[in-house]
Structure formats: structure tokens, C-alpha cells
């Protein structure tokens, strides 16, 4: 199977790339020859742009060949689909703002508890934590991926505490000779929900060129995606919220009576957030070998995203006409459903128009002597060059097309790092010391204005503004020492100095007199937050024992601090008393101790691993009721404890060949017991969260993937994924996962066939969610989706 013949090689490359120095550009060298010593995979060949590392902990990888043969990859995050314990909350093809990564002990609401990189450039959006802060997956296309490596847990001192869940690194192509590639693809999703039957299509095209001439290599990649996704939100009313009829209502049919996530009866009146999205991607990479031992590289990326979101009402009057909030000529419309009165509002029929143009740049200078000492200097920038959202939001009939404009231009992040590796034993990997200093800076700029014409009008009145910056300065050292032929120890220490400053929370004020932080003269409420800073230390340790050539035991532990993001600190609102709501400028960082114990068996062409993991997190960051403001606000949950077991196995050849020639199999099973064990706060009443399951961390997860090389030209694959029951709320008051806003269990299967027509041409077809399982994670996931793609490779 794609993955298994090269498993040890992939793990070796993963170990190299996931060291203290994330690569700026990566080339898979032909003479890379991994070896295994004392339970640690070590690269002894040439790896031009990454420093080798020796961390005896869980690393999983997937290669370009595996992705092409087994995964219907329309977006770069699809490459993670069958890796153990991972889930990306991808709602539709091209999902650019909610595709959050979840890991063993972190749910899809915790985007800031993992790190995602591409060629050493940070893609994780650590400006916030939650669905709106997904990694910038669009900066990588599936066609340019060479491999993906995942390091589970915060066991390397080189990474910030956001690595507590996992570190994901996308390594993209860098040519050794002239290459040209092109792809066209299409997909169609069959959709049936709440009485609507429809289909939603997506089209993709991409092209890439690259070459190497002497000391210079380059790569250029362009792509376009045109996608129409299924509805993601729904207008609802509790059945019990209806009032007696009093005249003026429009009698309607079409409302769907169902249960909400708390098993209460409610009506679904309309769908919304049905996105039509066009994404353009451009990436350029340049590498220059200044000397045989020194490489300079540049990476530049541009991602554009234009999307529109539209609603569709379910309601019809007696003549069969569609009824929405504008039916009576205003912006609100009373309707009669089953003899009760309900009022339709503009918020029930959301419309949006969004235009983004983000860019990233990275520079890297790195030595490759592989002697006693190597070093690296790197810098990267991610910038919201244009980030404009227009939304329909009228409040009076006098301005029926009024709305709001949200502008986030000026938002982004920067990274700087200097790293080195010292090999005291004259270049040998018997003893390796990694060290480095770094600085990661994040800047939030968000302004919301009102407008009389939501689609084309200029800003007319101030609504709100949020600003602030955070900075993380770090110093780390990590010592990996092969104590004997069978024992290896790794000790690491990370020092961090975190600063938050320039915090501003501002909103419009309609009062005629000054009140608290609100001024009648400026008609604004303004909270300027004081600067904060703190210094922390995070130790790491790992130990491995090689029982024999095929069996190894590993133990790892590490402390991680996940500092509050700038949005959690400053982006919220101000109530009538002048108090901050939704955000919390006084948050403490999450502090986690994570440990794992693994046993691995790697007979020829196979692998079996069992990992016992434990995470104890104090001051976890979640939104819950703030009794002082009577609003849901991000707060510290005192303690969450997770204990689990992860099993993973793979085989290619040997007994699988005995079953069916060319058959390869892989699978994983994860159990996680993740409970809130202490919390001074609450959702509704004191103590209502104690002993409850951590949101969106299911007890059981599993995946399986089989691939059959039927002929040298034809490969077939079948995959399956399962996730058990879970909750979205801290008090677990949402037992019905199969509802809008719920989080359900699921079991899905996927098919893919790849036909290599000629050396240059290939054709692939597949079906995702073959069994058409209808499942939810607040929003509905895609239903059965057929894909086809034609590729040319020169």
C-alpha cells in the first residue's frame, strides 16, 4: 500500500523534518538512508533543508504517492484523513474559515492546541481559538505536497505550547530536474436534508512548473477552485416560543418540526450560509546553494478567496410563494405556523459577501555541513492584505438593505528564529544538542462599520473595533544522547516570555450621558487594556529502549503552556455597564503536562504500535457564563484530565500478499477518557460541568484503509472512519448530536481508483461518504460526494 513499503523511510524523514528547525524548503534526496538506533529513527543521508533530530515519541507520516493512490484530496487538509486520532472539521470543499484540526485530547473547538506548518512557515492561525481561526490550509495545494509529517504531543522543546495536541508539517515539492504538472478535477455532492434535494458541485484546476540548474532550483504552483457548498446554518424557533395569533400573520407551510441538540421540539424555517467560493492560489519557491554547505531560500504565497453566502426559505404561503422576513415589505414578518405566531427577522436569512487576499513570505539561510556544528536563520510573515466581509443586517424598514462591513486588513503574524545543532562526537548522531531562540508576533486589527447598502455601500457609522498584539519570545535547548547501543535519552528545556499589549475593545454607544467607559461625546465605549507579560519554563524528557531490531519501548513527557490569543483577550464587546463581555483580558495560560508510553514492533513490511497517553490540563480556555456580566465569556476551566490508548498497525506484503497479491492495510483505534474534574465556573448552575466530558473529544475513534495494486497501472482503495458520541457543551446538555448545532457520532466509507493511463497521464475517480452517512459538528458534514480528476505529469 502506498504507505507501508516506505513506512520506515517516511518516519525517518519525519524525524528529520520535525526537529527543532522546521525546514524552509525540502528536497527528498536520493541517497537518504534511514537507520534505527535505540528506538530513534535517524537520517544518515543528505537532507538539504532540515536538521536531523532524535526524539523517541510518536511520529506518523503520509507521502505524496500514498495521497495520490488512497485519498480523494480536494484540499490539503484531506491528507490527514487516515492518520491516527486526527480529524479536520472540513464542512465543504474549499472550507477556508472553519476547518479546525482536532487531536487526541483536543476537540474541533480548540484550534490553538495544534501547530500546522508548510515548508517551515506557520499556517496555524494563533490570533484566536475556535472555528473562525482554522489553519490557512489554502496556502498549500494537494498537488504540491511531497509528504506530511505529524509529531504527537509537546515533546520537542523547539515548539511553543500550542504543540500540546500535535505538530503538522507539510513538505512541498522542490525539483531536481525540469518538471511540469497539470490537473483538472470535479466533484458533485448529493444532498438531501429537511425536505431539500439538491446537488453541489466543485471544479479545480492546477498547474506547476519547476527546475534545477546548477546551484539554483525553483518551483511555481498556481491553482483555482470554484466550489458551491451545502447549507451550513438554519433559522430555528423553539416550538414553545410561539405566541397566540393576533392578526397580521402570514399563514405558512414548510416549517420542519424536529428535535434540537437538547431534544427540545423546534421548527427549522430556512437554511443559510450556502457558500459559493472561488479560491486562487499562487506559490513561488526559490533555493540557491551559495556553497555546497550553505543554502538560501525564499518562499512566497498568495491566496485569494471570494465567497458569497445565501439563504433559502422553507416557508410557503397559501399561493405557494416563498416567504421570508421581507414578505410584508419591511425587515420583519410575522407568520403563523400550526396555529402559533412567530416572527421572521433579518438574522434568519443571512447574506454575505467576502473578499480575502492573504500573502505569506519566508526567508531561510541554512548550513548543511553535517559536521560538528550546523545553524539556521529564518523569518516568515503572514499578512491579511485584504480581508473584507460584507453582511446583510437591516434593523429598520427605512434601510431594508442595511448591513455591516468587517475589515481585518493589517492583521497577521511574523516569526523570527535562529537555531543551531552541535554534534560533539565529530558529526556523529550519537550525541546531538539542538538550541535556538525565536520570536513569534501576532497582531489583530478588526473594525466593523454599518452601511446603508450591505453589498456595495460605503461605511456610514462606526460599530466596533478590536485591536491588540501578543508576542512570544523563546529560548530552547535539547540534548539527545545515545547512552548505549540500546538506550537513548532526550532532555529539553524551553523558556518563554509572553507579552500582550495594545489591547483595545471599542463599541458604539447610543447614550446621551457618559457612563463608565462610554462617552456621549464620541458615542463610543472604549476599554484600553493594560500590558501584560509573564515568563515560564517548560521541561521535556524522553527515553527509549531498543529490545531488539524489531521492538522498542518509548516514554515521553513534557510541559506545555498555551497562552491566550489576542482575540480571546480583546475581541468581544462592552455591555451597558462598560464591562468587557465575550473576551477576557485577564485570562491565564493553559498549562498541560502530557505523557505517553509506547511499544512498537516493526517486523519486515509491517508495523504495530500501542501508545498509552495522559494529559492533565489546568486553566483550560473555554467560554462559559460570567456571572458578573451575565454573558458567555472565555474563562479558565480549572482542570481537565485525559487518559487514553492509541493503537496503530500497518502491513504491506507478507501475510497481506498471502490474502491478496498487492494488498496493503492500515488501521488505528483510539480511546480517550477526557473529563472536566474541576471548574469554579459553570454554564447554567454551579457544578454543572464537573465530571462531564470535554467538548468534542469523542471516547472512541477509529480508521481503516486498504489499498490493492490490482495491476501495475491500476490501484483501488477503500477507507473507513468512525467517531463515537461527543458533546459540544461544557455541561453536556446536548445529547442529540444529530441536529443543527449538535456534534454526532459518525461512520463513513470512501472509495478511490487510480489508473495510470500512460507515464504522463493518469485518471482518478472516487466517492467520499459512500454510505451517505448524515452527521454533524455544529454544521452538517458533506453527504455522498463523487470526484474525478485527470492529471498530467512530465
Amino acid at each position: 500500500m502506498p504507505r507501508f513499503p516506505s513506512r520506515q523511510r517516511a518516519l525517518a524523514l519525519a524525524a528529520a523534518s520535525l526537529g527543532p528547525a522546521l525546514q524552509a524548503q525540502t528536497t527528498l534526496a536520493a541517497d537518504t538512508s534511514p537507520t534505527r538506533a535505540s528506538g530513534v529513527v535517524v537520517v544518515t543521508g543528505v537532507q538539504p533543508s532540515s536538521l536531523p533530530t532524535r526524539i523517541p515519541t510518536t511520529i506518523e507520516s503520509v507521502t505524496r504517492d500514498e495521497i495520490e493512490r488512497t485519498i480523494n484530496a480536494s484540499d490539503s487538509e484531506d491528507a490527514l484523513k487516515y492518520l491516527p486520532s486526527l480529524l479536520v472539521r472540513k464542512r465543504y470543499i474549499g472550507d477556508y474559515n472553519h476547518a479546525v484540526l482536532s487531536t487526541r485530547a483536543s476537540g474541533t473547538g480548540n484550534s490553538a492546541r495544534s501547530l500546522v506548518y508548510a515548508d517551515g512557515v506557520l499556517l496555524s492561525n494563533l490570533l484566536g481559538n475556535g472555528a473562525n481561526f482554522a489553519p490557512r490550509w489554502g496556502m498549500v495545494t494537494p498537488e504540491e505536497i511531497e509528504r506530511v509529517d505529524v509529531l504527537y504531543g509537546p515533546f520537542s522543546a523547539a515548539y511553543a505550547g500550542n504543540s500540546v495536541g500535535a505538530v503538522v508539517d507539510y513538505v512541498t515539492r522542490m525539483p531536481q530536474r525540469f518538471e511540469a504538472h497539470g490537473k483538472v478535477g470535479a466533484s458533485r455532492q448529493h444532498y438531501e436534508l429537511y425536505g431539500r434535494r439538491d446537488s453541489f458541485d466543485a471544479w479545480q484546476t492546477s498547474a506547476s512548473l519547476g527546475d534545477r540548474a546548477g546551484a539554483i532550483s525553483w518551483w511555481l504552483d498556481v491553482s483555482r477552485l470554484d466550489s458551491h457548498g451545502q447549507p451550513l446554518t438554519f433559522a430555528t424557533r423553539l416550538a414553545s416560543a410561539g405566541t397566540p395569533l393576533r392578526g397580521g400573520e402570514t399563514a405558512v407551510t414548510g416549517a420542519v418540526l424536529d428535535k434540537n441538540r437538547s431534544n427540545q421540539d423546534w421548527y427549522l424555517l430556512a437554511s443559510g450560509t450556502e457558500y459559493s467560493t472561488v479560491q486562487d492560489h499562487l506559490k513561488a519557491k526559490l533555493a540557491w546553494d551559495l556553497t555546497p554547505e550553505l543554502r538560501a531560500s525564499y518562499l512566497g504565497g498568495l491566496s485569494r478567496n471570494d465567497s458569497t453566502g445565501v439563504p433559502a426559505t422553507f416557508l410557503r404561503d397559501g399561493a405557494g410563494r416563498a416567504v421570508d422576513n421581507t414578505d410584508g415589505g419591511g425587515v420583519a414578518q410575522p407568520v403563523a405556523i400550526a396555529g402559533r405566531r412567530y416572527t421572521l427577522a433579518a438574522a434568519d436569512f443571512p447574506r454575505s459577501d467576502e473578499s480575502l487576499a492573504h500573502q505569506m513570505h519566508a526567508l531561510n539561510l541554512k548550513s548543511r555541513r553535517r559536521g560538528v556544528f550546523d545553524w539556521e536563520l529564518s523569518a516568515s510573515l503572514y499578512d491579511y492584505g485584504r480581508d473584507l466581509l460584507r453582511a446583510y443586517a437591516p434593523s429598520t424598514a427605512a434601510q431594508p438593505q442595511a448591513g455591516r462591513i468587517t475589515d481585518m486588513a493589517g492583521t497577521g503574524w511574523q516569526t523570527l528564529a535562529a537555531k543551531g545543532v552541535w554534534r560533539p562526537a565529530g558529526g556523529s548522531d550519537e550525541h546531538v544538542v539542538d538550541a535556538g531562540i525565536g520570536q513569534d508576533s501576532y497582531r489583530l486589527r478588526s473594525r466593523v462599520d454599518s452601511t446603508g447598502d450591505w453589498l456595495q455601500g460605503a461605511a456610514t457609522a462606526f460599530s466596533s473595533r478590536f485591536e491588540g498584539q501578543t508576542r512570544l519570545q523563546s529560548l530552547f535547548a535539547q540534548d539527545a544522547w545515545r547512552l548505549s547501543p540500546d538506550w537513548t535519552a532526550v532532555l529539553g528545556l524551553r523558556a518563554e516570555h509572553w507579552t500582550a499589549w495594545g489591547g483595545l475593545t471599542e463599541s458604539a454607544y447610543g447614550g446621551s450621558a457618559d457612563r463608565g467607559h462610554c462617552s456621549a461625546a464620541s458615542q463610543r465605549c472604549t476599554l484600553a487594556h493594560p500590558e501584560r507579560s509573564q515568563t515560564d519554563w517548560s521541561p521535556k524528557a524522553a527515553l527509549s529502549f531498543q529490545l531488539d531490531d524489531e521492538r522498542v519501548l518509548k516514554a515521553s513527557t513534557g510541559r506545555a503552556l498555551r497562552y491566550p490569543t489576542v482575540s480571546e483577550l480583546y475581541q468581544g464587546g462592552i455591555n451597558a455597564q462598560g464591562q468587557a463581555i465575550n473576551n477576557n483580558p485577564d485570562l491565564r495560560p493553559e498549562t498541560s503536562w502530557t505523557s505517553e508510553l509506547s511499544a512498537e514492533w516493526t517486523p519486515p513490511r509491517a508495523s504495530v504500535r500501542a501508545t498509552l497517553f495522559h494529559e492533565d490540563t489546568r486553566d483550560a480556555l473555554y467560554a462559559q457564563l460570567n456571572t458578573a456580566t451575565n454573558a458567555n465569556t472565555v474563562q479558565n476551566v480549572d482542570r481537565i484530565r485525559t487518559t487514553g490508548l492509541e493503537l496503530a498497525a500497518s502491513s504491506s506484503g507478507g501475510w497481506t500478499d498471502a490474502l491478496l497479491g498487492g494488498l496493503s492495510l492500515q488501521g488505528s483505534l483510539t480511546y480517550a477518557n477526557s473529563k472536566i474534574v474541576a471548574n469554579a465556573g459553570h454554564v447554567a448552575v454551579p457544578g454543572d460541568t464537573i465530571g462531564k466530558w470535554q467538548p468534542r473529544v469523542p471516547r472512541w475513534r477509529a480508521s481503516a484503509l486498504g489499498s490493492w495494486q490490482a495491476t501495475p497501472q491500476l490501484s483501488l482503495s477503500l477507507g473507513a472512519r468512525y467517531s463515537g458520541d461527543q458533546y459540544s457543551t461544557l455541561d453536556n446538555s446536548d445529547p442529540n448530536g444529530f441536529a443543527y448545532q449538535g456534534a454526532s457520532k459518525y461512520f463513513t466509507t470512501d472509495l478511490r481508483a487510480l489508473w495510470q493511463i500512460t507515464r504522463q497521464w493518469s485518471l482518478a475517480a472516487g466517492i467520499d461518504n459512500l454510505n451517505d452517512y448524515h452527521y454533524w459538528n455544529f454544521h452538517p458534514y458533506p453527504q455522498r460526494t463523487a470526484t474525478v480528476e485527470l492529471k498530467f505529469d512530465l
Side-chain angles (χ1 to χ4, degrees), residues 67-246:
I67 295 169
E68 289 180 348
R69 291 200 275 174
T70 63
I71 299 175
N72 301 314
S74 56
D75 298 286
S76 60
E77 61 265 37
D78 293 328
L80 307 177
K81 184 179 287 188
Y82 293 104
L83 292 178
S85 304
L86 301 185
L87 168 70
V88 178
R89 182 178 175 257
K90 175 183 165 182
R91 304 169 300 168
Y92 62 95
I93 294 175
D95 191 353
Y96 62 97
N97 60 0
H98 275 61
V100 172
L101 172 66
S102 70
T103 56
R104 291 169 175 168
S106 303
T108 53
N110 288 307
S111 62
R113 284 175 61 85
S114 60
L115 291 173
V116 178
Y117 295 87
D119 297 315
V121 181
L122 182 66
L123 298 186
S124 287
N125 187 347
L126 301 182
L127 293 162
N129 180 51
N132 291 317
F133 299 95
R136 305 290 88 178
W137 305 107
M139 283 295 183
V140 179
T141 62
E143 292 69 47
E144 62 177 324
I145 297 173
E146 190 63 48
R147 74 177 190 275
V148 187
D149 302 319
V150 180
L151 170 68
Y152 290 74
F155 305 124
S156 170
Y159 302 116
N162 307 87
S163 64
V164 62
V167 179
V168 178
D169 185 35
Y170 283 81
V171 181
T172 64
R173 295 181 58 73
M174 204 64 183
Q176 294 297 303
R177 56 175 180 77
F178 178 75
E179 296 183 21
H181 309 271
K183 188 186 91 165
V184 294
S187 68
R188 168 161 290 188
Q189 178 193 168
H190 164 77
Y191 177 85
E192 186 173 346
L193 185 63
Y194 296 138
R196 178 178 175 182
R197 295 184 177 183
D198 213 330
S199 60
F200 299 100
D201 299 336
W203 298 85
Q204 292 177 288
T205 58
S206 66
S208 54
L209 291 170
D211 197 4
R212 180 179 179 92
I216 296 177
S217 56
W218 58 272
W219 179 266
L220 184 66
D221 182 270
V222 296
S223 68
R224 164 163 280 207
L225 167 68
D226 191 335
S227 173
H228 185 184
Q230 80 277 10
L232 300 174
T233 61
F234 300 90
T236 63
R237 293 291 186 279
L238 285 173
S240 61
T243 60
L245 301 179
R246 59 175 185 263

Side-chain angles (χ1 to χ4, degrees), residues 16-98:
S17 68
L18 283 167
L22 280 163
Q23 62 272 30
Q25 313 293 332
T26 298
T27 304
L28 293 181
D31 61 344
T32 299
S33 52
T35 61
R36 184 178 291 272
S38 302
V40 182
V41 180
V42 181
V43 172
T44 56
V46 180
Q47 181 68 318
S49 58
S50 62
L51 295 174
T53 187
R54 298 161 59 91
I55 304 176
T57 190
T58 302
I59 295 176
E60 294 283 347
S61 302
V62 60
T63 67
R64 177 190 180 197
D65 178 66
E66 296 162 10
I67 295 169
E68 289 180 348
R69 291 200 275 174
T70 63
I71 299 175
N72 301 314
S74 56
D75 298 286
S76 60
E77 61 265 37
D78 293 328
L80 307 177
K81 184 179 287 188
Y82 293 104
L83 292 178
S85 304
L86 301 185
L87 168 70
V88 178
R89 182 178 175 257
K90 175 183 165 182
R91 304 169 300 168
Y92 62 95
I93 294 175
D95 191 353
Y96 62 97
N97 60 0
H98 275 61

Side-chain angles (χ1 to χ4, degrees), residues 80 147 161 210 361 390 409 513 515 517 578 594 743:
L80 307 177
R147 74 177 190 275
H361 302 275
R390 291 175 170 269
R515 185 173 185 177
H517 295 276
T594 302

